[in-house]
Amino acid sequence: MVAKRQMPTVRLRRLAAELRRLRSGAHLTREDVTEQTGINTATLYRIETARVRPQQRTLTALLDLYAVGEPQRGEILALSREAGAQGWLRPYHSELPEEYTAYISFEAEARAVRNYESLFIPGLLQTEDYAHAVIKGVLPTASAREIEQRVRARIERQEVLTKVDPLSLWVIMDEAALRRVVGGLKVMREQMQRLMEVAAEPSVTLQVIPFNAGAHAGMPGSFVLMSFPEAEDPEIIYIDSMAGDLFLEAEADVRRYSTTFENLRAVALSPDASADLIAELVKEAR
């Protein structure tokens, strides 16, 4: 039986950041905290890096040590109680890779997503047939069950675009992502039609960088920037590569990728011109 993992959430990250700030403000090292409270140093590290949610008695001991009074104490305790909320993660997601379920959790809580893709149609915009073909192609050793689980998760993720307060999505794609025939012409025609439909939604902005734009800042690879409703929650950068999935949240990284995205916006076709290009590709696929 697969053990239930503690997936990172925005609130868990906020709690971890607040506890790090409080310890720093008290001029204590982790070793100092261990000596004065008996909390294991490794446990404290996991708490402060959002790997685990602290138990009630552990959190109380930390707040006592840091001399945290009301109303801040009550706010932190409430944040801890809410830190395990998993957005809409389905039970079977425990069988998916940990990094992917973490991404799903963050995406479900995000207010806005900026996504640059160089080779794929973004997951939130994929049709089921395209998703099946691309996952099967990228993971040639995956079983039929594993492929189906990933396709199912990918399609379910798209609920963030149709909920009452939909995700604000800004997508920039290289023309190569549109030109690569994944799953055959029929699949691509349906995929292009799907892009045209979604691009008409007010919460979605879609741009394409044409081949004739030449070299551009996105050529090293794809990335996703996620922003959250609360100002206290720092943006996250997600990078999916052959070397593994990577989450970045340092200010310098966020600033660098935000600047890159702005550069890509500048070289990409306008949303209207991008829609025209996609319409032309639909005609070609016929």
Side-chain angles (χ1 to χ4, degrees):
M1 183 176 179
V2 179
K4 185 176 180 181
R5 297 191 299 261
Q6 172 70 61
M7 286 295 104
T9 66
V10 173
R11 287 174 291 276
L12 188 60
R13 290 172 64 236
R14 194 188 311 161
L15 175 64
E18 184 64 14
L19 291 176
R20 291 197 306 270
R21 188 188 67 78
L22 288 170
R23 178 173 59 78
S24 177
H27 305 290
L28 296 171
T29 65
R30 291 196 182 105
E31 290 73 20
D32 293 334
V33 173
T34 296
E35 183 178 340
Q36 297 186 46
T37 65
I39 299 171
N40 184 276
T41 304
T43 298
L44 184 59
Y45 170 79
R46 289 170 61 80
I47 290 172
E48 291 189 348
T49 54
R51 305 289 182 86
V52 296
R53 180 172 52 160
Q55 295 182 355
Q56 178 76 18
R57 63 176 180 273
T58 300
L59 182 55
T60 299
L62 291 174
L63 296 180
D64 288 343
L65 178 63
Y66 304 150
V68 179
E70 297 295 347
Q72 186 180 21
R73 175 182 285 257
E75 293 169 353
I76 292 175
L77 290 172
L79 185 61
S80 178
R81 288 192 296 271
E82 299 168 359
Q86 289 298 316
W88 55 268
L89 286 180
R90 310 299 201 249
Y92 75 88
H93 287 177
S94 62
E95 299 178 31
L96 295 170
E98 184 171 356
E99 294 84 357
Y100 188 37
T101 49
Y103 178 82
I104 291 173
S105 178
F106 288 138
E107 183 181 70
E109 296 183 69
R111 171 185 57 82
V113 164
R114 287 170 286 169
N115 185 187
Y116 165 70
E117 290 292 342
S118 57
L119 296 174
F120 302 98
I121 304 299
L124 287 177
L125 305 182
Q126 292 178 8
T127 64
E128 186 169 344
D129 287 341
Y130 180 96
H132 189 278
V134 80
I135 291 171
K136 185 176 181 180
V138 170
L139 301 174
T141 61
S143 67
R145 182 170 180 271
E146 290 170 334
I147 292 172
E148 181 57 33
Q149 284 180 334
R150 285 180 176 254
V151 171
R152 185 177 169 193
R154 187 160 299 183
I155 299 305
E156 286 173 350
R157 282 172 48 204
Q158 297 175 5
E159 294 175 12
V160 297
L161 298 177
T162 57
K163 61 184 181 179
V164 175
D165 185 16
L167 175 76
S168 176
L169 177 64
W170 194 312
V171 167
I172 300 176
M173 287 182 289
D174 192 284
E175 187 175 345
L178 301 174
R179 293 281 183 182
R180 183 173 298 279
V181 179
V182 175
L185 288 178
K186 180 176 182 294
V187 170
M188 290 305 297
R189 182 171 64 250
E190 293 173 350
Q191 178 61 73
M192 294 304 106
Q193 291 171 335
R194 162 73 174 162
L195 290 179
M196 293 177 66
E197 293 169 2
V198 177
E201 295 295 326
S203 61
V204 177
T205 301
L206 177 61
Q207 291 182 268
V208 177
I209 300 177
F211 284 147
N212 62 17
H216 59 77
M219 293 178 71
S222 305
F223 59 90
V224 178
L225 291 115
M226 289 180 275
S227 305
F228 302 93
E230 300 297 329
E232 298 86 352
D233 299 325
E235 291 182 306
I236 299 176
I237 299 153
Y238 173 73
I239 301 170
D240 181 9
S241 72
M242 291 288 286
D245 298 356
L246 180 65
F247 289 98
L248 304 172
E249 55 184 315
E251 288 186 16
D253 290 324
V254 170
R255 188 164 51 248
R256 177 161 54 92
Y257 278 91
S258 295
T259 299
T260 297
F261 196 85
E262 291 304 309
N263 288 334
L264 295 174
R265 282 180 55 188
V267 300
L269 297 173
S270 69
D272 287 344
S274 296
D276 290 341
L277 173 58
I278 294 171
E280 286 298 319
L281 292 177
V282 172
K283 292 178 182 179
E284 290 181 17
R286 288 173 181 163

